[in-house]
Amino acid sequence: MRDPYEVLGVPRTASEAEIKKAFRRLAKEHHPDRASGDPKAKDKFAEANQAYEILSDAGKRAQFDRGEIDAEGKPRFQGFEGFTRSSGGRESDFESFSFGFGAGGPFGGRGRPEEDILSHIFGGRSGAGRGRPAKGDDVSVTLTVTLEEAASEAKRRVTLPSGRDVDVMIPRGVADGQVVRLRGLGHEGARGGEPGDALLTIKLAPHAQFTVEGVDLRHRLPVPLEDAVLGATLRVPTLTGAVEMRIPPMTSSGRTFRLRGKGLPGKAATGDLLVTTEITLPAEPDEMLLDFARKRRAVDAN
């Protein structure tokens, strides 16, 4: 993984707004749906997403600048020259888990806001909960996901501050700012106490084509002048693929159409996609259009 500043093409003094702007540009350029002809687009998009995950989080950015973590968010261990950690890359080196919708109200009946709607399931932790001489401290982790990942059960690998890698199954309907408690993945407890937890904060990455409004999405659709005047069937992008939308004749710029069920999944129902038209004019002067405009102006003047 390259230096995240180098990946996004920003200086180390870049502001949060500059980092976000750079990521949006790269996301738009390398999004697999838009750059299908580039076989490396998926890798470039993932690299930009990883870089943004580091630099958009103030804590992680400070750790990286101090040399405490690397470009993948993994700790750089110092002072243990005689100690090495195996990282053979085998699937068995990682733990896999998933988290989904909990029950018992907005806090799962536990009274902890961090758990909110989501929980996770672990296997093979014998002896968990037996005696707690001194529970370990919790750790905080931020995971940036795309809107496409939030709309589907995508799988992501997360590196914890301990350097431990776990696979996370992102549930449909995860919200921006959602905090998930991953039990037993924090610091080890003292004198045999149970380990602390990892608090995973979900962030939705900016999207090149959509803006988020709760569970609804907004998209600005360029419409050629002739289609706006005469009406047309146009292709509209969604998180699950393009669909066709019919606009009536004499559609003005700024008119909004609602595509139901094409937004983000929510607790009660899936949101909608709000499509706002933007009338576009020909790039080059069009004499027929100019002549029509002159005659129309003359008629209006009279």
Side-chain angles (χ1 to χ4, degrees):
M1 177 70 184
R2 293 186 294 151
D3 185 304
Y5 291 101
E6 179 183 341
V7 172
L8 297 185
V10 297
R12 291 183 174 270
T13 56
S15 65
E16 182 179 349
E18 290 172 329
I19 291 171
K20 185 174 183 180
K21 181 179 180 181
F23 173 75
R24 287 178 64 92
R25 175 180 58 78
L26 290 175
K28 184 175 182 180
E29 180 180 351
H30 299 306
H31 194 284
D33 291 343
R34 296 175 62 90
S36 56
D38 183 359
K40 296 183 179 180
K42 184 176 181 181
D43 292 337
K44 293 176 181 177
F45 181 79
E47 184 180 48
N49 190 63
Q50 176 66 36
Y52 181 73
E53 184 174 328
I54 295 289
L55 299 186
S56 64
D57 184 284
K60 283 189 176 181
R61 183 179 180 182
Q63 286 181 302
F64 178 79
D65 290 343
R66 291 193 300 266
E68 297 173 1
I69 60 175
D70 61 18
E72 295 182 357
K74 296 181 179 180
R76 287 193 172 102
F77 296 102
Q78 300 177 356
F80 296 89
E81 292 78 4
F83 175 80
T84 60
R85 178 177 179 270
S86 173
S87 57
R90 295 174 290 108
E91 189 64 28
S92 59
D93 290 339
F94 303 96
E95 292 193 30
S96 298
F97 65 93
S98 62
F99 55 89
F101 293 103
F107 302 126
R110 301 178 188 273
R112 292 184 177 181
E114 303 92 346
E115 293 173 19
D116 208 347
I117 301 171
L118 308 177
S119 62
H120 78 288
I121 302 174
F122 282 99
R125 290 192 173 275
S126 60
R130 297 177 187 171
R132 303 181 186 178
K135 182 178 179 180
D137 292 333
D138 295 340
V139 297
S140 296
V141 186
T142 299
L143 175 64
T144 302
V145 303
T146 65
L147 295 185
E148 286 83 0
E149 290 172 327
S152 62
E153 292 185 341
K155 188 176 183 180
R156 287 285 303 277
R157 179 156 289 175
V158 179
T159 301
L160 301 176
S162 63
R164 188 179 185 178
D165 292 284
V166 293
D167 286 335
V168 178
M169 187 68 73
I170 302 169
R172 295 178 73 250
V174 65
D176 187 50
Q178 185 78 52
V179 180
V180 185
R181 182 177 291 272
L182 309 179
R183 296 195 179 280
L185 292 182
H187 293 297
E188 294 295 328
R191 299 182 304 280
E194 66 176 293
D197 304 328
L199 305 181
L200 181 65
T201 300
I202 304 296
K203 290 183 63 177
L204 296 182
H207 200 281
Q209 295 180 294
F210 307 109
T211 56
V212 180
E213 294 182 359
V215 294
D216 291 336
L217 298 176
R218 280 194 178 273
H219 173 70
R220 302 192 72 85
L221 180 67
V223 180
L225 179 61
E226 59 272 22
D227 290 342
V229 174
L230 301 176
T233 298
L234 302 174
R235 299 278 288 176
V236 179
T238 75
L239 293 178
T240 55
V243 299
E244 293 186 340
M245 184 185 76
R246 177 72 184 176
I247 62 170
M250 304 304 293
T251 293
S252 300
S253 188
R255 185 171 178 179
T256 298
F257 298 85
R258 182 183 295 270
L259 298 183
R260 297 195 179 278
K262 294 299 182 181
L264 292 171
K267 291 183 292 184
T270 301
D272 303 328
L273 175 61
L274 307 177
V275 182
T276 301
T277 57
E278 286 187 341
I279 310 303
T280 60
L281 296 175
E284 300 295 332
D286 186 314
E287 288 302 324
M288 293 180 62
L289 179 58
L290 292 173
D291 185 58
F292 169 78
R294 295 187 190 101
K295 292 178 179 179
R296 183 58 186 265
R297 177 182 288 179
V299 170
D300 292 341
N302 294 331

